[in-house]
Short mmCIF file of all heavy atoms in Angstrom, two decimals:
data_model
loop_
_atom_site.label_atom_id
_atom_site.label_comp_id
_atom_site.label_asym_id
_atom_site.label_seq_id
_atom_site.Cartn_x
_atom_site.Cartn_y
_atom_site.Cartn_z
N ILE J 4 18.12 5.88 -5.71
CA ILE J 4 17.14 6.41 -4.75
C ILE J 4 15.71 6.11 -5.19
O ILE J 4 14.76 6.40 -4.45
CB ILE J 4 17.31 7.92 -4.54
CG1 ILE J 4 17.08 8.69 -5.84
CG2 ILE J 4 18.67 8.22 -3.94
CD1 ILE J 4 17.04 10.20 -5.66
N ALA J 5 15.54 5.51 -6.36
CA ALA J 5 14.22 5.16 -6.87
C ALA J 5 13.99 3.65 -6.84
O ALA J 5 13.21 3.11 -7.63
CB ALA J 5 14.02 5.71 -8.28
N LEU J 6 14.69 2.97 -5.94
CA LEU J 6 14.52 1.53 -5.78
C LEU J 6 14.32 1.19 -4.31
O LEU J 6 15.06 1.68 -3.44
CB LEU J 6 15.75 0.77 -6.31
CG LEU J 6 15.99 0.84 -7.82
CD1 LEU J 6 17.36 0.29 -8.15
CD2 LEU J 6 14.90 0.07 -8.57
N ALA J 7 13.33 0.35 -4.03
CA ALA J 7 13.10 -0.12 -2.67
C ALA J 7 13.59 -1.55 -2.56
O ALA J 7 13.10 -2.44 -3.28
CB ALA J 7 11.62 -0.04 -2.32
N LYS J 8 14.54 -1.80 -1.69
CA LYS J 8 15.04 -3.16 -1.47
C LYS J 8 14.04 -3.91 -0.60
O LYS J 8 13.64 -3.45 0.46
CB LYS J 8 16.40 -3.10 -0.77
CG LYS J 8 17.03 -4.45 -0.49
CD LYS J 8 18.36 -4.28 0.22
CE LYS J 8 18.95 -5.61 0.63
NZ LYS J 8 20.25 -5.44 1.35
N ILE J 9 13.62 -5.10 -1.09
CA ILE J 9 12.54 -5.82 -0.42
C ILE J 9 12.98 -7.22 0.00
O ILE J 9 14.05 -7.71 -0.38
CB ILE J 9 11.30 -5.92 -1.33
CG1 ILE J 9 11.61 -6.76 -2.58
CG2 ILE J 9 10.80 -4.54 -1.72
CD1 ILE J 9 10.38 -7.16 -3.38
N ASN J 10 12.11 -7.87 0.75
CA ASN J 10 12.32 -9.24 1.20
C ASN J 10 12.50 -10.16 -0.01
O ASN J 10 11.60 -10.25 -0.86
CB ASN J 10 11.09 -9.67 2.02
CG ASN J 10 11.21 -11.07 2.60
OD1 ASN J 10 12.05 -11.86 2.20
ND2 ASN J 10 10.33 -11.38 3.54
N PRO J 11 13.61 -10.86 -0.13
CA PRO J 11 13.83 -11.72 -1.30
C PRO J 11 12.88 -12.90 -1.37
O PRO J 11 12.78 -13.56 -2.41
CB PRO J 11 15.28 -12.18 -1.13
CG PRO J 11 15.56 -12.06 0.34
CD PRO J 11 14.76 -10.88 0.79
N GLU J 12 12.15 -13.19 -0.30
CA GLU J 12 11.18 -14.28 -0.31
C GLU J 12 9.85 -13.86 -0.93
O GLU J 12 9.00 -14.71 -1.22
CB GLU J 12 10.94 -14.78 1.12
CG GLU J 12 12.19 -15.32 1.82
CD GLU J 12 12.77 -16.51 1.08
OE1 GLU J 12 11.99 -17.37 0.64
OE2 GLU J 12 14.02 -16.58 0.95
N ALA J 13 9.64 -12.58 -1.12
CA ALA J 13 8.36 -12.09 -1.65
C ALA J 13 8.27 -12.38 -3.14
O ALA J 13 9.18 -12.02 -3.90
CB ALA J 13 8.23 -10.59 -1.40
N PRO J 14 7.20 -13.02 -3.62
CA PRO J 14 7.04 -13.26 -5.06
C PRO J 14 7.02 -11.93 -5.81
O PRO J 14 6.25 -11.03 -5.47
CB PRO J 14 5.68 -13.97 -5.15
CG PRO J 14 5.47 -14.58 -3.79
CD PRO J 14 6.09 -13.61 -2.83
N LEU J 15 7.85 -11.82 -6.82
CA LEU J 15 8.01 -10.54 -7.50
C LEU J 15 6.79 -10.13 -8.32
O LEU J 15 6.56 -8.94 -8.52
CB LEU J 15 9.27 -10.56 -8.36
CG LEU J 15 10.58 -10.56 -7.55
CD1 LEU J 15 11.78 -10.80 -8.45
CD2 LEU J 15 10.75 -9.25 -6.78
N GLU J 16 5.99 -11.10 -8.79
CA GLU J 16 4.79 -10.71 -9.54
C GLU J 16 3.78 -10.01 -8.63
O GLU J 16 3.02 -9.15 -9.08
CB GLU J 16 4.16 -11.91 -10.23
CG GLU J 16 3.60 -12.98 -9.31
CD GLU J 16 4.63 -14.02 -8.92
OE1 GLU J 16 5.85 -13.76 -9.11
OE2 GLU J 16 4.22 -15.11 -8.46
N GLY J 17 3.77 -10.35 -7.36
CA GLY J 17 2.92 -9.64 -6.41
C GLY J 17 3.57 -8.37 -5.91
O GLY J 17 2.92 -7.34 -5.75
N ALA J 18 4.87 -8.42 -5.71
CA ALA J 18 5.60 -7.25 -5.22
C ALA J 18 5.50 -6.08 -6.19
O ALA J 18 5.50 -4.92 -5.78
CB ALA J 18 7.07 -7.61 -4.99
N ALA J 19 5.38 -6.38 -7.50
CA ALA J 19 5.30 -5.32 -8.50
C ALA J 19 4.13 -4.39 -8.23
O ALA J 19 4.20 -3.18 -8.50
CB ALA J 19 5.20 -5.92 -9.90
N LEU J 20 3.02 -4.90 -7.71
CA LEU J 20 1.84 -4.08 -7.48
C LEU J 20 2.08 -3.02 -6.42
O LEU J 20 1.39 -2.00 -6.39
CB LEU J 20 0.66 -4.96 -7.09
CG LEU J 20 0.31 -6.11 -8.04
CD1 LEU J 20 -0.99 -6.77 -7.61
CD2 LEU J 20 0.21 -5.63 -9.48
N PHE J 21 3.07 -3.25 -5.56
CA PHE J 21 3.40 -2.26 -4.54
C PHE J 21 4.20 -1.09 -5.13
O PHE J 21 4.46 -0.11 -4.43
CB PHE J 21 4.20 -2.91 -3.42
CG PHE J 21 3.40 -3.84 -2.56
CD1 PHE J 21 3.20 -5.16 -2.92
CD2 PHE J 21 2.83 -3.39 -1.38
CE1 PHE J 21 2.46 -6.03 -2.13
CE2 PHE J 21 2.08 -4.24 -0.57
CZ PHE J 21 1.89 -5.57 -0.95
N ALA J 22 4.58 -1.17 -6.39
CA ALA J 22 5.32 -0.09 -7.04
C ALA J 22 4.43 1.10 -7.36
O ALA J 22 4.93 2.19 -7.61
CB ALA J 22 6.00 -0.59 -8.31
N CYS J 23 3.10 0.87 -7.37
CA CYS J 23 2.20 1.98 -7.66
C CYS J 23 0.83 1.75 -7.03
O CYS J 23 0.56 2.19 -5.94
CB CYS J 23 2.08 2.21 -9.17
SG CYS J 23 1.00 3.62 -9.59
N GLY J 24 -0.05 1.05 -7.76
CA GLY J 24 -1.46 1.03 -7.42
C GLY J 24 -1.79 0.58 -6.01
O GLY J 24 -2.53 1.25 -5.28
N LEU J 25 -1.28 -0.57 -5.60
CA LEU J 25 -1.63 -1.11 -4.29
C LEU J 25 -1.09 -0.23 -3.18
O LEU J 25 -1.80 0.09 -2.20
CB LEU J 25 -1.10 -2.54 -4.16
CG LEU J 25 -1.44 -3.28 -2.86
CD1 LEU J 25 -2.92 -3.21 -2.53
CD2 LEU J 25 -0.97 -4.73 -2.94
N SER J 26 0.15 0.21 -3.29
CA SER J 26 0.72 1.09 -2.26
C SER J 26 -0.02 2.42 -2.20
O SER J 26 -0.20 2.99 -1.12
CB SER J 26 2.20 1.34 -2.55
OG SER J 26 2.98 0.19 -2.28
N THR J 27 -0.45 2.92 -3.35
CA THR J 27 -1.18 4.19 -3.37
C THR J 27 -2.46 4.08 -2.54
O THR J 27 -2.78 4.98 -1.75
CB THR J 27 -1.52 4.59 -4.81
OG1 THR J 27 -0.29 4.83 -5.53
CG2 THR J 27 -2.37 5.86 -4.86
N GLY J 28 -3.20 2.99 -2.71
CA GLY J 28 -4.42 2.82 -1.95
C GLY J 28 -4.18 2.57 -0.48
O GLY J 28 -4.80 3.17 0.40
N LEU J 29 -3.25 1.66 -0.19
CA LEU J 29 -2.91 1.37 1.21
C LEU J 29 -2.43 2.63 1.93
O LEU J 29 -2.88 2.94 3.04
CB LEU J 29 -1.82 0.30 1.28
CG LEU J 29 -2.22 -1.13 0.90
CD1 LEU J 29 -0.96 -1.97 0.68
CD2 LEU J 29 -3.09 -1.76 1.98
N GLY J 30 -1.54 3.35 1.27
CA GLY J 30 -0.99 4.56 1.88
C GLY J 30 -2.02 5.65 2.07
O GLY J 30 -1.96 6.41 3.04
N ALA J 31 -2.98 5.76 1.14
CA ALA J 31 -4.02 6.78 1.27
C ALA J 31 -4.75 6.63 2.59
O ALA J 31 -5.08 7.61 3.26
CB ALA J 31 -4.99 6.70 0.09
N ALA J 32 -5.02 5.36 2.96
CA ALA J 32 -5.73 5.10 4.21
C ALA J 32 -4.80 5.16 5.42
O ALA J 32 -5.14 5.76 6.45
CB ALA J 32 -6.42 3.74 4.14
N LEU J 33 -3.64 4.53 5.30
CA LEU J 33 -2.75 4.39 6.46
C LEU J 33 -1.90 5.63 6.72
O LEU J 33 -1.60 5.94 7.87
CB LEU J 33 -1.84 3.18 6.25
CG LEU J 33 -2.53 1.81 6.21
CD1 LEU J 33 -1.55 0.74 5.74
CD2 LEU J 33 -3.10 1.46 7.57
N ARG J 34 -1.51 6.34 5.65
CA ARG J 34 -0.56 7.43 5.82
C ARG J 34 -1.22 8.80 5.58
O ARG J 34 -1.10 9.70 6.42
CB ARG J 34 0.62 7.23 4.86
CG ARG J 34 1.68 8.35 4.91
CD ARG J 34 2.30 8.49 6.30
NE ARG J 34 2.90 7.26 6.77
CZ ARG J 34 4.12 6.83 6.45
NH1 ARG J 34 4.88 7.55 5.64
NH2 ARG J 34 4.58 5.70 6.94
N THR J 35 -1.90 8.98 4.45
CA THR J 35 -2.47 10.30 4.18
C THR J 35 -3.63 10.60 5.12
O THR J 35 -3.64 11.62 5.81
CB THR J 35 -2.95 10.40 2.72
OG1 THR J 35 -1.86 10.13 1.84
CG2 THR J 35 -3.49 11.80 2.43
N ALA J 36 -4.63 9.71 5.16
CA ALA J 36 -5.80 9.95 5.99
C ALA J 36 -5.58 9.57 7.45
O ALA J 36 -6.21 10.13 8.35
CB ALA J 36 -7.00 9.20 5.44
N LYS J 37 -4.71 8.61 7.69
CA LYS J 37 -4.49 8.09 9.05
C LYS J 37 -5.82 7.66 9.68
O LYS J 37 -6.23 8.15 10.74
CB LYS J 37 -3.76 9.11 9.92
CG LYS J 37 -2.36 9.46 9.44
CD LYS J 37 -1.70 10.47 10.36
CE LYS J 37 -0.26 10.74 9.97
NZ LYS J 37 -0.11 11.37 8.65
N VAL J 38 -6.47 6.72 9.02
CA VAL J 38 -7.76 6.23 9.48
C VAL J 38 -7.65 5.75 10.92
O VAL J 38 -6.70 5.04 11.29
CB VAL J 38 -8.25 5.08 8.56
CG1 VAL J 38 -9.47 4.38 9.16
CG2 VAL J 38 -8.58 5.63 7.18
N GLU J 39 -8.64 6.12 11.72
CA GLU J 39 -8.62 5.78 13.14
C GLU J 39 -9.46 4.54 13.42
O GLU J 39 -10.47 4.29 12.75
CB GLU J 39 -9.14 6.95 13.97
CG GLU J 39 -8.27 8.19 13.89
CD GLU J 39 -8.84 9.34 14.69
OE1 GLU J 39 -10.08 9.47 14.74
OE2 GLU J 39 -8.05 10.12 15.26
N PRO J 40 -9.08 3.75 14.43
CA PRO J 40 -9.87 2.59 14.82
C PRO J 40 -11.30 2.99 15.18
O PRO J 40 -11.53 4.04 15.79
CB PRO J 40 -9.12 2.04 16.04
CG PRO J 40 -7.72 2.54 15.88
CD PRO J 40 -7.84 3.89 15.24
N GLY J 41 -12.26 2.14 14.80
CA GLY J 41 -13.64 2.38 15.13
C GLY J 41 -14.37 3.34 14.22
O GLY J 41 -15.56 3.61 14.42
N SER J 42 -13.69 3.87 13.22
CA SER J 42 -14.29 4.88 12.33
C SER J 42 -15.03 4.23 11.17
O SER J 42 -15.01 3.01 10.99
CB SER J 42 -13.19 5.80 11.80
OG SER J 42 -12.23 5.05 11.06
N THR J 43 -15.69 5.09 10.39
CA THR J 43 -16.37 4.66 9.17
C THR J 43 -15.65 5.26 7.98
O THR J 43 -15.38 6.47 7.94
CB THR J 43 -17.84 5.12 9.16
OG1 THR J 43 -18.54 4.46 10.21
CG2 THR J 43 -18.51 4.79 7.83
N ALA J 44 -15.32 4.42 7.01
CA ALA J 44 -14.65 4.86 5.79
C ALA J 44 -15.46 4.44 4.58
O ALA J 44 -16.05 3.35 4.56
CB ALA J 44 -13.24 4.27 5.71
N VAL J 45 -15.49 5.30 3.57
CA VAL J 45 -16.16 4.98 2.31
C VAL J 45 -15.16 5.14 1.18
O VAL J 45 -14.50 6.18 1.07
CB VAL J 45 -17.37 5.91 2.05
CG1 VAL J 45 -18.01 5.58 0.70
CG2 VAL J 45 -18.40 5.76 3.16
N VAL J 46 -15.02 4.11 0.36
CA VAL J 46 -14.08 4.11 -0.76
C VAL J 46 -14.87 4.12 -2.06
O VAL J 46 -15.68 3.22 -2.31
CB VAL J 46 -13.15 2.89 -0.72
CG1 VAL J 46 -12.21 2.90 -1.91
CG2 VAL J 46 -12.36 2.87 0.59
N PHE J 47 -14.67 5.13 -2.88
CA PHE J 47 -15.31 5.24 -4.18
C PHE J 47 -14.36 4.67 -5.23
O PHE J 47 -13.29 5.23 -5.49
CB PHE J 47 -15.62 6.69 -4.51
CG PHE J 47 -16.73 7.28 -3.68
CD1 PHE J 47 -16.48 7.75 -2.39
CD2 PHE J 47 -18.01 7.39 -4.19
CE1 PHE J 47 -17.49 8.30 -1.62
CE2 PHE J 47 -19.04 7.94 -3.43
CZ PHE J 47 -18.78 8.39 -2.14
N GLY J 48 -14.74 3.53 -5.81
CA GLY J 48 -13.90 2.89 -6.82
C GLY J 48 -13.26 1.63 -6.29
O GLY J 48 -12.59 1.66 -5.25
N ALA J 49 -13.47 0.52 -7.00
CA ALA J 49 -12.92 -0.77 -6.57
C ALA J 49 -11.93 -1.30 -7.59
O ALA J 49 -11.91 -2.48 -7.90
CB ALA J 49 -14.03 -1.78 -6.31
N GLY J 50 -11.10 -0.39 -8.12
CA GLY J 50 -9.96 -0.81 -8.91
C GLY J 50 -8.79 -1.07 -7.98
O GLY J 50 -8.95 -1.24 -6.77
#
């Protein structure tokens, strides 16, 4: 239950970033905040 089955064509060195950092940022905007079209967003930190 702690494994996500992914597209086998996806390069695994890039896919690894979705295991934590990249997904955390993407999800914060898309899922937690549910940013709306036309809005203004400010992100503190460019890691």
Side-chain angles (χ1 to χ4, degrees):
I4 61 172
L6 293 169
K8 180 180 174 181
I9 64 168
N10 183 344
E12 299 299 318
L15 289 171
E16 65 272 16
L20 306 188
F21 289 85
C23 182
L25 183 50
S26 288
T27 296
L29 289 165
L33 295 169
R34 178 60 57 83
T35 302
K37 297 181 175 65
V38 170
E39 295 178 326
S42 61
T43 295
V45 177
V46 178
F47 290 81

